[in-house]
């Protein structure tokens, strides 16, 4: 479909569909733009991301921007927090394929968010990046200020990044029925 974007009717047709009052037309535009690997419409799609109300269209907006590897990682992160169901994630795997340094930078910005879903996504995405002293410090700091199930995600990230010197952090969790096994594995 990539050759489609060189057809003379393509730009006008996509513009008409993307601005249509019919949600199905807009979704077709997003799918076509992604299939054509055409990021020239990304600014228009970002505007649609702020005004669209239909859940299906929001899904295709996010999927299109992620598929096209839009460089606005923090905006994509915030979009996922607002519109992705992490229990049944479809867009998240595309997010994890973006530039790892950009994902890390965004996670650093969001790890102390008051929004639990944003904090959780930041913790989870850091587990996919390369370890470094800043990441280790942020994860340990988050662990010290976090209670409940989110601690398990922090322990997983500690394990994934092979963070050392965790005994004082994880020893109290070894008998926890939920986090005990991952705490043991992280040690």
């Amino acid at each position: 479909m990539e050759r489609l974007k060189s057809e003379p009717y393509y730009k006008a047709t996509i513009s008409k569909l993307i601005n249509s009052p019919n949600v199905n037309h807009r979704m077709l535009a997003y799918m076509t733009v992604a299939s054509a690997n055409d990021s020239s419409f990304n600014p228009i799609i970002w505007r649609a991301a702020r005004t669209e109300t239909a859940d299906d269209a929001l899904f295709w907006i996010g999927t299109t921007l992620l598929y096209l590897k839009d460089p606005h990682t923090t905006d994509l992160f915030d979009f996922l927090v607002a519109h992705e169901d992490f229990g049944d994630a479809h867009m998240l795997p595309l997010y994890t394929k973006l530039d790892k340094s950009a994902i890390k930078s965004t996670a650093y910005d969001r790890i102390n968010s008051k929004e639990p879903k944003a904090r959780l996504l930041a913790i989870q995405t850091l587990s996919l990046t390369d370890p470094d002293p800043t990441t280790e410090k942020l994860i340990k700091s988050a662990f010290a200020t976090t209670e409940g199930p989110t601690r398990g995600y922090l322990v997983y990230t500690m394990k994934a990044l092979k963070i050392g010197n965790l005994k004082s952090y994880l020893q109290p969790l070894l008998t926890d029925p939920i986090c005990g096994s991952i705490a043991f594995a992280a040690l």
Side-chain angles (χ1 to χ4, degrees):
M1 296 251 331
E2 201 160 332
R3 71 173 205 263
L4 183 65
K5 64 185 175 186
S6 63
E7 295 294 332
Y9 57 81
Y10 172 77
K11 293 272 187 201
T13 303
I14 294 299
S15 293
K16 183 177 178 181
L17 290 171
I18 221 164
N19 292 305
S20 173
N22 183 320
V23 68
N24 293 315
H25 292 172
R26 294 191 304 273
M27 288 190 301
L28 178 61
Y30 308 140
M31 289 178 223
T32 305
V33 165
S35 297
N37 201 27
D38 181 6
S39 59
S40 70
F41 283 95
N42 283 19
I44 295 167
I45 295 171
W46 272 117
R47 280 194 298 277
R50 292 185 271 288
T51 59
E52 185 62 67
T53 58
D55 288 339
D56 289 344
L58 286 164
F59 168 78
W60 283 108
I61 286 170
T63 300
T64 297
L65 291 167
L66 288 161
Y67 180 80
L68 294 172
K69 295 183 177 9
D70 186 90
H72 300 95
T73 313
T74 302
D75 292 332
L76 288 166
F77 180 99
D78 293 341
F79 184 88
L80 287 173
V81 169
H83 302 291
E84 179 78 301
D85 174 5
F86 294 148
D88 186 25
H90 292 86
M91 293 182 282
L92 186 57
L94 292 170
Y95 181 79
T96 64
K97 294 186 185 316
L98 298 176
D99 177 71
K100 297 299 183 216
S101 63
I103 288 174
K104 183 183 277 192
S105 178
T106 295
Y108 286 177
D109 289 342
R110 297 297 189 259
I111 196 164
N112 293 313
S113 173
K114 299 296 182 206
E115 166 62 50
K117 197 173 171 184
R119 186 175 167 103
L120 188 59
L121 183 59
I123 292 164
Q124 287 181 303
T125 56
L126 280 175
S127 74
L128 305 171
T129 65
D130 293 327
D132 63 42
T134 303
T135 301
E136 181 174 334
K137 181 181 174 191
L138 285 170
I139 292 296
K140 286 180 174 179
S141 176
F143 184 85
T145 60
T146 300
E147 296 294 327
T150 303
R151 273 192 151 186
Y153 293 99
L154 283 158
V155 174
Y156 175 83
T157 298
M158 290 173 173
K159 177 184 174 291
L161 297 176
K162 297 180 177 142
I163 294 174
N165 302 317
L166 297 175
K167 184 178 178 184
S168 63
Y169 292 92
L170 301 182
Q171 190 168 9
L173 293 178
L174 292 175
T175 58
D176 184 286
I178 297 171
C179 297
S181 62
I182 191 71
F184 183 74
L187 289 171

